[in-house]
Amino acid sequence: LLHAPQFTEGIAMETPGGLPASLELLQYCEQRVDAVIRTAEQLIRCESPSADREAIARSAELVHRIGSDLMGAPGVIHEVDGCAHVGWRFGAGTRGSVLVLGHHDTVWPYGTIDRIPFAAGPAVRGPGCLDMKVGVAIAFHAVAMLRPADGIEVLITGDEELGSPSSRALIADHAARATAALVFESGADDGSLKTARKGRSQYRLVFRGRGAHAGLEPERGANALVELSAAVLAIEALGNQTGGTTVVPSVATAGTTVVPSVATAGTTVNTVPDHAELQVDVRADDLAELERVDQEIRRVGGRVPGTEIVVHGGIDRPPLTEELSAPLLVRAQSIWRALGLGELGGARVGGGSDGNLTASAGVPTLDGLGAVGAGPHADHEYVDRAQLAGRLALAVSLLAELTGTEVTR
Ligand SMILES: [Zn+2]
């Protein structure tokens, strides 16, 4: 049940059935927006670039303190490979739990807050506000309103922006107990929830050839760069634009000098490159496409005799498909209408999140429940304050429904 004392502060929240009405819930959430922003401010001011382990550790301490205060129970800081993730588990029931998932790391280097200071106006600003510290704040405040929050687990990871290398097993572990996963990444630009995310593969191809003097005995060389060049074109052709599959050769380096034989004068212009590397980013709507590209990439090569290719990497995040999000989206949409907020859409997006990982474990997953704004990973990143109350009301209602508490019809 919604925690009664939480609703006695202002307006009467009781309906004849003893449950708060949707519109009253929305009004109550309006009153909570300042508190959500204050929570977000603390999180934003504690900068947390993914690759800075000390910063992530400090941030995790703060996330743990704030989350424990708000949600009324201590959590656990899970340190995995030096990276700090924070989790809470409410109620020790044997039935499955609803997993509330977020991350506290950002893409912003330390010191960005001096350049993009926190601001709490109609546009809430600060590094990582949209992606996704305001979302973490919404999640904490939503769970706080459900005290006791039995049947909910909360996991806030510290390396999502790196592709979740150290949190992956932890997420899988939580997903194994979960009946549903709610991901508090930002909503789409128009506020839509994220119901499908492309899957991703990442590769690093290492080309080994044989060095030789380009003038005296080029025939003794095996040009790794030429082999790479042929591979780039072959790999790019693996994409399928109409099917939504993109294959982007994204980073290429050859030899010890970055641009071989051309940009670097002198020492390397007359040397057949014996080493080259290529990185490739693949996105696709379904796993079969990722598997097709994976097989094809491993077949690339053979243009230059004497060279060989070693392929590192593979399928990294399986897709989040609409099949897995649809039942949760329907619930969210009916809550949204009951709140008087109109229609709530579902959006397919290219970028992945940890929701891909819960989905790959077969857990119904709904993403994009966090803040609404614009400019994730960009200087103009902001959160639209006016939409926070609706997001909070949606989150608390959805959590209440999924954990077996009826809300507000
Ligand atoms: Zn994010």
Side-chain angles (χ1 to χ4, degrees):
L1 291 179
L2 287 163
H3 189 230
Q6 296 278 340
F7 288 94
T8 56
E9 303 177 358
I11 35 177
M13 296 302 295
E14 302 292 307
T15 62
L19 292 165
S22 288
L23 296 179
E24 288 168 339
L25 176 65
L26 187 57
Q27 286 175 330
Y28 178 74
C29 289
E30 298 276 5
Q31 295 175 355
R32 300 296 303 162
V33 165
D34 282 342
V36 171
I37 292 175
R38 279 196 299 276
T39 298
E41 176 179 4
Q42 288 179 276
L43 297 172
I44 289 167
R45 288 191 188 282
C46 182
E47 291 182 279
S48 51
S50 310
D52 183 338
R53 297 233 159 131
E54 284 179 19
I56 291 295
R58 278 195 301 276
S59 170
E61 292 283 345
L62 180 71
V63 166
H64 180 254
R65 184 163 59 71
I66 291 175
S68 299
D69 282 354
L70 283 169
M71 298 187 292
V76 178
I77 295 180
H78 303 273
E79 193 180 308
V80 185
D81 298 337
C83 183
H85 318 289
V86 193
W88 289 262
R89 190 174 183 181
F90 298 97
T94 49
R95 69 202 171 105
S97 53
V98 175
L99 177 60
V100 170
L101 192 54
H103 64 87
H104 68 97
D105 61 316
T106 77
V107 296
W108 297 101
Y110 206 78
T112 301
I113 191 124
D114 298 330
R115 191 167 63 78
I116 307 174
F118 173 79
V124 178
R125 291 186 193 275
C129 59
L130 182 65
D131 189 8
M132 54 165 280
K133 292 190 169 180
V134 175
V136 172
I138 292 171
F140 284 170
H141 282 266
V143 175
M145 289 163 68
L146 288 164
R147 250 185 250 171
D150 287 2
I152 294 177
E153 292 197 53
V154 179
L155 180 62
I156 308 296
T157 63
D159 63 353
E160 193 275 344
E161 299 291 1
L162 299 177
S164 314
S166 75
S167 57
R168 184 163 296 234
L170 201 56
I171 292 167
D173 185 48
H174 283 69
R177 293 190 294 271
T179 53
L182 304 181
V183 186
F184 282 78
E185 294 277 5
S186 61
D189 288 355
D190 67 352
S192 292
L193 301 178
K194 292 177 177 173
T195 50
R197 285 183 181 272
K198 284 185 178 180
R200 179 182 75 179
S201 310
Q202 290 188 325
Y203 298 93
R204 185 171 64 89
L205 282 70
V206 178
F207 299 77
R208 296 206 188 98
R210 203 165 48 243
H213 193 294
L216 295 177
E217 45 183 14
E219 71 283 358
R220 288 180 175 248
N223 193 322
L225 173 60
V226 173
E227 181 72 357
L228 177 147
S229 306
V232 166
L233 298 178
I235 286 170
E236 194 203 20
L238 296 176
N240 169 8
Q241 291 297 343
T242 50
T245 304
T246 55
V247 182
V248 181
S250 51
V251 179
T253 58
T256 48
T257 49
V258 175
V259 182
S261 327
V262 178
T264 309
T267 55
T268 59
V269 69
N270 57 355
T271 300
V272 175
D274 69 350
H275 182 91
E277 287 191 21
L278 173 67
Q279 293 181 39
V280 183
D281 180 286
V282 182
R283 312 275 171 149
D285 289 325
D286 58 71
L287 192 57
E289 269 294 278
L290 291 178
E291 285 168 345
R292 174 185 68 82
V293 173
D294 188 75
Q295 287 169 10
E296 294 291 337
I297 278 187
R298 292 172 200 284
R299 282 192 204 115
V300 161
R303 168 72 170 72
V304 178
T307 59
E308 63 169 21
I309 306 175
V310 179
V311 178
H312 300 273
I315 297 171
D316 177 48
R317 284 173 172 161
L320 162 61
T321 62
E322 272 155 351
E323 286 155 39
L324 275 173
S325 59
L328 293 171
L329 178 65
V330 168
R331 281 173 180 262
Q333 287 172 324
S334 93
I335 290 167
W336 199 250
R337 278 191 293 271
L339 290 167
L341 295 172
E343 294 304 311
L344 180 63
R348 305 170 61 86
V349 296
S353 84
D354 284 338
N356 293 66
L357 299 178
T358 56
S360 76
V363 179
T365 297
L366 190 58
D367 201 342
L369 285 158
V372 181
H377 300 198
D379 275 9
H380 67 282
E381 178 184 28
Y382 77 91
V383 165
D384 182 5
R385 179 194 176 104
Q387 298 190 53
L388 286 177
R391 305 306 272 196
L392 180 59
L394 172 63
V396 69
S397 301
L398 196 52
L399 281 167
E401 272 197 25
L402 293 172
T403 53
T405 307
E406 286 180 34
V407 200
T408 65
R409 274 304 90 94

